[in-house]
Amino acid sequence: MIVSNISMDKESVYDTTVKQLLSHNLNTEEKTKLYTDWSSTYELNLKQFGYAANSKCSEVLCKYYPENRENIVILDVGAGTGLLAEELATKGFKTINGIDPSPGMLKEAEKKKLYRNVFCSYFTSKPLPFFKQDSFDLLAVVGSFGTGHIPYDAIIEMIRITKPGGVICISNRRSPFYESPDYVDKFFPLCDQLEQEGKWKKEEITTYKGFMENADGIIIVYRVN
């Protein structure tokens, strides 16, 4: 009976929440509200879906930062309830900041006491007034690129606030970058353009199985010049 209930809850969440978040039917503000409404059961539901993007991101970051992790200043973009911060903290990263537009998600994240600062804000290509240029050693974005979420050109602001030599790591569902009109023929061409302009350099673009259930994931890593 317990297994049956979990299965029903899982299907219900997928139909009523996840599908809406992946669709074009809601605007950005409506999706933000949906995240806030979902925040209390978000982590339980992601476990049911086998969500692995945070653990994959932290695994990759350990490769780029084999030592001195406690002194690396991090910005977790699309922090949600703090799942990435939990993963990073177990691997020795200590100086973590988070930004997310959902007050409900950030309320859950703050309960973990892993963030130095949290900021409730959207992340776009526009300069964020509370972040100076070259503020962070590492910028991580997990699962936040998708229809009605972070726009493709937000990488411009990500570069601005990341220190020279710093890493920008994106762990995401693969499909938006190759199927969504918000990103196709926009995201990777802009990445290439910024590399040609000497703003950053590609370290790796790799795919992995099991982002969530049957969805493939992608890891995108650039180093800022």
Side-chain angles (χ1 to χ4, degrees):
M1 186 66 176
I2 293 176
V3 173
S4 176
N5 285 339
I6 289 176
S7 177
M8 290 175 63
D9 290 344
K10 176 180 172 183
E11 292 173 5
S12 175
V13 169
Y14 189 84
D15 287 334
T16 63
T17 303
V18 176
K19 281 186 177 179
Q20 291 182 68
L21 291 170
L22 296 176
S23 75
H24 292 269
N25 296 328
L26 300 181
N27 62 34
T28 300
E29 290 74 19
E30 290 170 329
K31 289 185 179 184
T32 300
K33 183 181 183 302
L34 192 59
Y35 275 112
T36 290
D37 294 341
W38 189 19
S39 59
S40 62
T41 61
Y42 178 77
E43 293 190 12
L44 171 63
N45 296 142
L46 287 194
K47 288 179 180 177
Q48 292 174 319
F49 289 124
Y51 190 73
N54 291 294
S55 58
K56 185 65 177 178
C57 182
S58 65
E59 174 188 317
V60 170
L61 291 177
C62 285
K63 178 176 67 175
Y64 288 95
Y65 295 94
E67 56 188 13
N68 195 36
R69 293 175 186 166
E70 67 276 8
N71 295 320
I72 301 300
V73 181
I74 302 169
L75 180 63
D76 178 6
V77 178
T81 59
L83 289 171
L84 178 60
E86 283 187 303
E87 291 279 352
L88 294 176
T90 63
K91 293 173 172 60
F93 294 96
K94 302 296 182 185
T95 313
I96 310 171
N97 304 274
I99 182 169
D100 196 283
S102 166
M105 288 287 189
L106 285 181
K107 184 178 179 181
E108 296 297 320
E110 288 187 281
K111 292 178 182 178
K112 296 173 180 175
K113 302 186 184 302
L114 295 174
Y115 289 101
R116 181 175 63 177
N117 297 295
V118 295
F119 303 87
C120 190
S121 175
Y122 291 101
F123 201 109
T124 68
S125 62
K126 296 179 180 178
L128 292 161
F130 37 80
F131 294 147
K132 296 180 180 179
Q133 184 171 333
D134 304 341
S135 292
F136 303 100
D137 300 302
L138 164 61
L139 193 148
V141 194
V142 176
S144 294
F145 280 92
T147 300
H149 290 64
I150 293 179
Y152 78 96
D153 57 357
I155 55 178
I156 294 171
E157 175 64 356
M158 293 178 187
I159 291 172
R160 184 187 75 84
I161 62 177
T162 303
K163 296 176 184 178
V167 165
I168 296 174
C169 178
I170 298 167
S171 176
N172 206 84
R173 181 190 294 265
R174 180 185 181 279
S175 57
F177 298 109
Y178 297 94
E179 299 174 13
S180 170
D182 292 343
Y183 301 97
V184 172
D185 298 326
K186 296 177 181 179
F187 180 82
F188 286 121
L190 180 57
C191 288
D192 293 341
Q193 176 188 326
L194 292 169
E195 186 166 15
Q196 291 167 6
E197 293 173 356
K199 303 293 186 182
W200 65 359
K201 181 180 180 182
K202 180 170 62 180
E203 293 283 349
E204 65 175 284
I205 297 178
T206 55
T207 58
Y208 63 93
K209 298 289 185 181
F211 170 87
M212 186 170 74
E213 295 198 319
N214 296 324
D216 289 340
I218 190 169
I219 291 286
I220 302 168
V221 181
Y222 278 82
R223 191 177 298 276
V224 175
N225 293 330

